[in-house]
Amino acid sequence: MPDSGKQSTVTTVFLSFSLLGFAALWFSPFVVSVVTALSGLAVLFYLPKSFPRYNRIILLSSVLLLLILFVDFVFHLGEKTTSAKFLLMLGLVFILQGHSYFFERASRQKLSYYFIVIAAIVACINVIAVAGYLSDKSYFDQMLLQSKSIPIPNMHHIHFGIINAITILGIVGQLVGDKVDKKMNILLWVFGIICLLSFHILSSRTGLLAFYAGSFITLVIYVIQHNAYKILLFGMLGLTSLAVIGYSLSSSLKNKVANSMEDINSWGKGDEINHKSMAMRIEAYKMSVAVLIENPLGVGAAAQDQILQEMYEKKNTLLYKENRVGPHNQLLEFGVKYGWIGIIGIFVFYLGWLRLLPNTSAFFWGVVVVFLVSVQFESLFERQASIYFSMTLLPLFYHLFRNQQLIEQ
C-alpha cells in the first residue's frame, strides 16, 4: 500500500539515495557503501515493518546465509577475507530489505519513474562503452577471439551484460504492460533501442545466454497468461531474427561466437583447454565438486583459493597455474566455502523468488530467469557491485510487475 504525506517523502528520499547508489556502481564504490549503510539504518529503524510478508522465505534464507558467514567470521577472526564476505552479506540483507520495504510503499508511477532513471543510466554507460569500443574496434575484435572482453567503465563486463539484459526486459515490460504517458513512452523506446543495440556489441556470453533464455520464458508465460497462442510463433520469429540480425551486424558478436566454438572444440583435447574460458570453468566446476565431496562442511572463505589450487594439483589438471580459476558459480562458490548448508541456503534463496512468480506478469518471470541463469556462470554474491544491482533490480521488478496481468485484464 503506497504511503502518503510524510512517509511518502521518506520513500522518495530513500529512492533518490538508491538511484545515487546505482549510478555510483560506475564511479564510486565508497558511495555504494554509504548508500548500503543508509539502507541498513532504514531497515533497523523500521523494524519489524521492513520485512514484508511476501518475501519471508527470501528474508529467512538471506539471514541464514548471513549466519553462515558470521560463523565463518567468528572461527577465522583476523582473516580479512572472512570479514569482507560477512560485510558483503550484511550489505545484501540491508539492500534487499530496504528496497523491499520502500518499493512496497511507492506508487506504481513513482516506481516507473525510478526505473526510467535506471534505464537512462544504463543507456549512458552503453553509449560510453560502445564509443570506447569503436575508437579501437579492430584491436578489441581481435581480443574477443582470445577470450578477452570489451571494457566497461569501472565494472566487470559480465555484470554489465546482466544489467543490460534485465533492463531491456524491464523496458519491454513497461511498454507492453503499464499505460505510461507519451513522454515516458518515447524515452523508453530511445533507451530500449540504445540498450538493445549496445547489448549485442558489448555483452558477455553469460549476458547473452541469460537474456535469450529470459526472453524465451517471458514469451511463453505471456502467451499462457493472455491465452494468445498466435503470438508465440511471431515472438519466436522475432527473437530468432533479433539474434540473426545482431550476429550479422556485429563483428564483436561474430568473434564471440567464433571464440566459443573454438572453446567447445578444445574440450577433451588435452592441454588445448588452456586459455579457453568455458573449458577452464568446466575444470573449475570439477575441482569445486571434488572439494565439496571431501569437505561437506566447507573450507571457509579464507582457505578457498588455497584448497582449490591443491585440488587442481591432486587431480593432475591439464590447466596451467595461471588458468586455474575459481568456481564462477554461486552454488559451488558457497559449497566450497560453507559446505552443503551453504548450498541449501542459496537454493532456498532462489526458491523464494520462484515462489513469487504465480502473482506476477511474464516479464518478472523473465527477469528471474536472467538472474538464475547468470548465477550458474558468475558468483553474484561475491562483489559489492553485483550484490547491489541484484538486490535492487529483483525487488524493483517484482513490484513493477506483480499482478500486472490481472490489472491489464
Side-chain angles (χ1 to χ4, degrees):
M1 180 69 67
D3 290 319
S4 58
K6 181 179 179 181
Q7 187 58 39
S8 178
T9 301
V10 173
T11 299
T12 300
V13 170
F14 179 89
L15 296 185
S16 298
F17 275 106
S18 171
L19 287 172
L20 175 62
F22 187 82
L25 292 174
W26 288 275
F27 71 85
S28 176
F30 174 75
V31 173
V32 179
S33 297
V34 170
V35 174
T36 300
L38 290 174
S39 297
L41 291 176
V43 169
L44 295 174
F45 184 80
Y46 286 103
L47 280 173
K49 294 180 180 180
S50 59
F51 303 137
R53 290 185 178 182
Y54 77 84
N55 72 345
R56 189 169 294 168
I57 291 179
I58 300 170
L59 166 64
L60 292 175
S61 59
S62 59
V63 171
L64 171 62
L65 292 173
L66 182 62
L67 290 174
I68 293 169
L69 271 69
F70 179 72
V71 171
D72 187 38
F73 169 71
V74 170
F75 274 94
H76 299 90
L77 283 174
E79 292 282 356
K80 291 183 179 180
T81 303
T82 55
S83 58
K85 295 302 180 184
F86 172 71
L87 289 175
L88 281 175
M89 187 54 63
L90 183 63
L92 182 149
V93 174
F94 285 164
I95 298 164
L96 172 61
Q97 292 308 129
H99 283 112
S100 296
Y101 177 77
F102 286 104
F103 287 159
E104 178 86 6
R105 281 149 183 77
S107 65
R108 182 173 292 274
Q109 183 182 46
K110 189 173 289 186
L111 290 179
S112 294
Y113 289 146
Y114 179 96
F115 174 63
I116 279 280
V117 176
I118 281 184
I121 293 169
V122 175
C124 287
I125 301 300
N126 271 305
V127 171
I128 294 170
V130 170
Y133 161 73
L134 293 176
S135 68
D136 201 350
K137 183 175 179 296
S138 59
Y139 168 76
F140 288 121
D141 282 346
Q142 187 62 34
M143 289 297 100
L144 290 170
L145 291 172
Q146 302 174 30
S147 296
K148 306 299 181 183
S149 61
I150 299 170
I152 308 297
N154 300 313
M155 178 171 282
H156 196 284
H157 70 286
I158 293 179
H159 293 168
F160 190 61
I162 297 167
I163 292 173
N164 248 333
I166 293 175
T167 301
I168 294 167
L169 280 173
I171 289 173
V172 176
Q174 285 286 89
L175 289 170
V176 171
D178 280 349
K179 306 302 182 184
V180 296
D181 61 58
K182 188 174 181 180
K183 290 182 179 179
M184 283 184 62
N185 223 328
I186 294 173
L187 286 174
L188 284 170
W189 273 104
V190 171
F191 297 151
I193 291 171
I194 291 173
C195 291
L196 191 60
L197 293 175
S198 303
F199 176 72
H200 287 84
I201 296 172
L202 302 171
S203 182
S204 63
R205 289 172 294 199
T206 297
L208 288 163
L209 177 62
F211 171 73
Y212 279 99
S215 297
F216 173 74
I217 294 299
T218 297
L219 176 62
V220 172
I221 299 302
Y222 185 90
V223 166
I224 293 173
Q225 288 180 342
H226 295 267
N227 196 28
Y229 292 93
K230 292 181 180 178
I231 295 178
L232 182 60
L233 176 60
F234 292 109
M236 288 302 299
L237 287 174
L239 283 176
T240 303
S241 299
L242 178 62
V244 171
I245 293 171
Y247 179 82
S248 301
L249 298 180
S250 174
S251 59
S252 67
L253 183 54
K254 288 180 182 177
N255 286 7
K256 289 172 196 171
V257 173
N259 177 250
S260 299
M261 296 307 299
E262 181 183 342
D263 198 324
I264 293 171
N265 290 332
S266 73
W267 297 357
K269 295 182 180 179
D271 62 1
E272 286 188 27
I273 62 174
N274 280 283
H275 305 296
K276 306 294 192 302
S277 60
M278 288 191 292
M280 288 158 53
R281 290 191 182 193
I282 291 173
E283 192 75 357
Y285 294 165
K286 293 177 182 177
M287 298 305 115
S288 299
V289 171
V291 170
L292 178 60
I293 291 173
E294 289 191 5
N295 303 272
L297 297 179
V299 300
Q304 177 194 21
D305 291 340
Q306 178 186 340
I307 299 298
L308 267 176
Q309 294 307 314
E310 290 175 359
M311 186 59 70
Y312 275 114
E313 293 289 344
K314 184 177 180 179
K315 294 294 184 180
N316 297 314
T317 181
L318 296 171
L319 289 178
Y320 307 145
K321 286 187 177 181
E322 64 267 24
N323 294 329
R324 297 173 186 178
V325 297
H328 285 282
N329 175 296
Q330 193 61 69
L331 280 168
L332 291 176
E333 187 92 37
F334 266 54
V336 171
K337 292 176 182 174
Y338 314 114
W340 285 104
I341 190 171
I343 289 180
I344 291 171
I346 288 290
F347 180 79
V348 175
F349 184 82
Y350 297 163
L351 185 63
W353 291 104
L354 293 173
R355 183 173 172 268
L356 299 178
L357 294 179
N359 296 319
T360 62
S361 80
F363 294 95
F364 182 67
W365 288 66
V367 167
V368 171
V369 169
V370 168
F371 178 72
L372 293 179
V373 170
S374 298
V375 294
Q376 305 311 311
F377 305 100
E378 180 66 13
S379 301
L380 295 181
F381 293 172
E382 306 302 318
R383 301 189 187 189
Q384 181 188 56
S386 52
I387 285 176
Y388 192 93
F389 76 71
S390 297
M391 297 304 106
T392 299
L393 296 180
L394 277 169
L396 170 64
F397 286 115
Y398 169 70
H399 285 91
L400 273 177
F401 296 128
R402 64 177 177 175
N403 299 321
Q404 193 183 69
Q405 72 274 20
L406 299 178
I407 293 172
E408 291 167 1
Q409 293 170 1

